[in-house]
Amino acid sequence: MERVQYEPALAPRDPGRVGPVVTALRDAGPQSYLIVNHGQSESLRLDSGYRKDWEARLRTALDGRPELRRVLSNRHAAVYELTRRPAGEVPQPRPGRPGPQVTWTPWSVLGAPAALALVVVLAAREVLRVAVAPSVRQLHWIQGLFWFSQPLLLVFLAALVQRFMTMS
C-alpha cells in the first residue's frame, strides 16, 4: 500500500463536466490513474442523490476526452490515464516498519502495571466480599482495598488520557 497514494477528486454532479476531474488527474503527476467504479457510483447514488445513469454518462464523457485513454474496463470499473503523462519522476515508496507500531511513553510504562495492579486489587476485593462471612473486619478490608485502588485508577486514567492525546 505504500506504493499507492490515493488522491480524492470531487465527483461532478453533471457527468458531462469532467474538466475538474481531468485537471485533478493531471495534477496528481506521472503514473496517475483515474478509477471509476460501480461501488462508488452506487454510493453516490444512494448517499448523495446522483442519478442512476450517472456512471454510464460519466464514462461516456471521459471516453470522449482526447487527453484520456481507457486502460482497463469491464462492467464494474474503468481505469483511465492521460495520453501524455506529466513530466516529473514518480516518488519512491517509503514503507515504514512492518507490523503494528507500539510507542511507549513514561505514562504508559506506569499505566500498564497500574492497570494490572488495579485488576488484582479489585478482584481481591470482590473475592473478599463474596467469600468471607460479613463482619466489621471484612468491611474494613473492603474499604481499605477500595481506597488503595483509587491511586492506581488515577494513574491508569492519566496514562489513558495521555495515550489518547498523543495518538496520531
Side-chain angles (χ1 to χ4, degrees):
M1 195 62 199
E2 65 271 359
R3 295 180 185 272
V4 177
Q5 183 173 348
Y6 176 73
E7 303 250 349
L10 288 175
R13 181 66 78 173
D14 178 8
R17 295 185 174 190
V18 293
V21 176
V22 174
T23 303
L25 180 61
R26 191 174 294 113
D27 292 343
Q31 280 192 326
S32 296
Y33 298 93
L34 172 66
I35 301 171
V36 178
N37 68 45
H38 187 65
Q40 288 176 331
S41 299
E42 281 297 303
S43 175
L44 288 171
R45 183 180 70 82
L46 294 172
D47 296 338
S48 301
Y50 281 58
R51 294 178 48 168
K52 190 169 181 81
D53 64 341
W54 181 84
E55 179 184 2
R57 291 176 56 206
L58 179 73
R59 284 188 185 194
T60 302
L62 290 172
D63 287 337
R65 295 297 291 243
E67 65 264 38
L68 291 180
R69 179 177 75 90
R70 189 186 282 202
V71 177
L72 173 88
S73 79
N74 59 26
R75 63 178 216 185
H76 298 291
V79 180
Y80 296 90
E81 71 176 352
L82 293 169
T83 53
R84 294 185 56 205
R85 291 191 176 175
E89 295 216 5
V90 178
Q92 292 295 317
R94 295 179 299 146
R97 296 187 328 222
Q101 307 301 316
V102 178
T103 56
W104 291 92
T105 65
W107 277 104
S108 58
V109 170
L110 287 174
L116 291 175
L118 181 64
V119 168
V120 168
V121 168
L122 292 177
R125 181 178 184 270
E126 281 301 301
V127 167
L128 185 64
R129 187 182 66 80
V130 172
V132 178
S135 67
V136 173
R137 184 175 184 151
Q138 178 199 17
L139 181 63
H140 287 300
W141 272 99
I142 289 174
Q143 285 178 341
L145 288 174
F146 173 76
W147 291 113
F148 182 73
S149 69
Q150 296 306 302
L152 295 172
L153 179 64
L154 288 175
V155 169
F156 169 69
L157 289 176
L160 190 65
V161 166
Q162 192 266 346
R163 172 63 68 187
F164 280 121
M165 288 174 54
T166 58
M167 279 184 7
S168 59

